[in-house]
Structures are given as C-alpha cells and as structure tokens.
Amino acid sequence: VYLLFQALRQISQRTISTASRRQFENRVPENQKLFQEDNGLPVHLKGGAKDAVLYRTTAGLTVCGTIYALYYLLVSSMPKKPN
C-alpha cells in the first residue's frame, strides 16, 4: 500500500511539474480603450452584440419571471371552490 501511494505521488508531481504553461497576450490596454471610449453606450453594452443578446435575454427572463410570479400570487389568493 505504501509503495502504491508513493508511486501515485511521484506520477502526480511529475505531471504537474512538466505541464506546459501557455503565454497569454496582455489585452488589458485594448480593453481599457474600448470601455473608456465615449460613444454613448452604457458600459454593459460596450462589448458588442454578445453583450446585447445577454442583456436582452436577462431582461426578458426577468419580465417573464415577474409575470409568472404575479399570476401564481393571484391564483393562490383566490379561495378554492368546494366540490
């Protein structure tokens, strides 16, 4: 059991230590330019079409959820009819 544990520990250390690291390009300055640009858009829509779709989807789900909750509040406030 001890040898198995030691072998597994060596394998895990070897795979972690030899993993290649990717170098990522620093895109912070270009994002700063994009978000600080004065183009009249709110900050949550400056990312483009993807941001607009996410915003509209979230707004739509919020409206639908509010209507659904109000409907069931109305239904639950009505007394049940005896049979």
Side-chain angles (χ1 to χ4, degrees):
V1 174
Y2 180 74
L3 292 175
L4 178 63
F5 176 72
Q6 195 121 41
L8 287 173
R9 192 168 80 190
Q10 284 180 347
I11 291 171
S12 68
Q13 285 177 348
R14 191 176 317 137
T15 57
I16 290 172
S17 65
T18 60
S20 65
R21 295 184 183 192
R22 286 193 234 164
Q23 294 296 328
F24 290 105
E25 180 184 341
N26 184 9
R27 297 194 307 193
V28 171
E30 64 189 52
N31 284 337
Q32 284 176 337
K33 286 179 190 175
L34 173 70
F35 285 99
Q36 290 176 355
E37 184 179 324
D38 188 19
N39 55 6
L41 289 174
V43 71
H44 60 274
L45 295 176
K46 284 192 177 190
K50 187 170 81 169
D51 282 351
V53 168
L54 286 171
Y55 174 74
R56 288 187 180 118
T57 302
T58 304
L61 286 172
T62 303
V63 168
C64 290
T66 302
I67 292 170
Y68 184 75
L70 290 175
Y71 171 75
Y72 274 98
L73 185 63
L74 178 70
V75 168
S76 64
S77 68
M78 299 292 177
K80 292 197 177 215
K81 297 178 184 175
N83 289 339

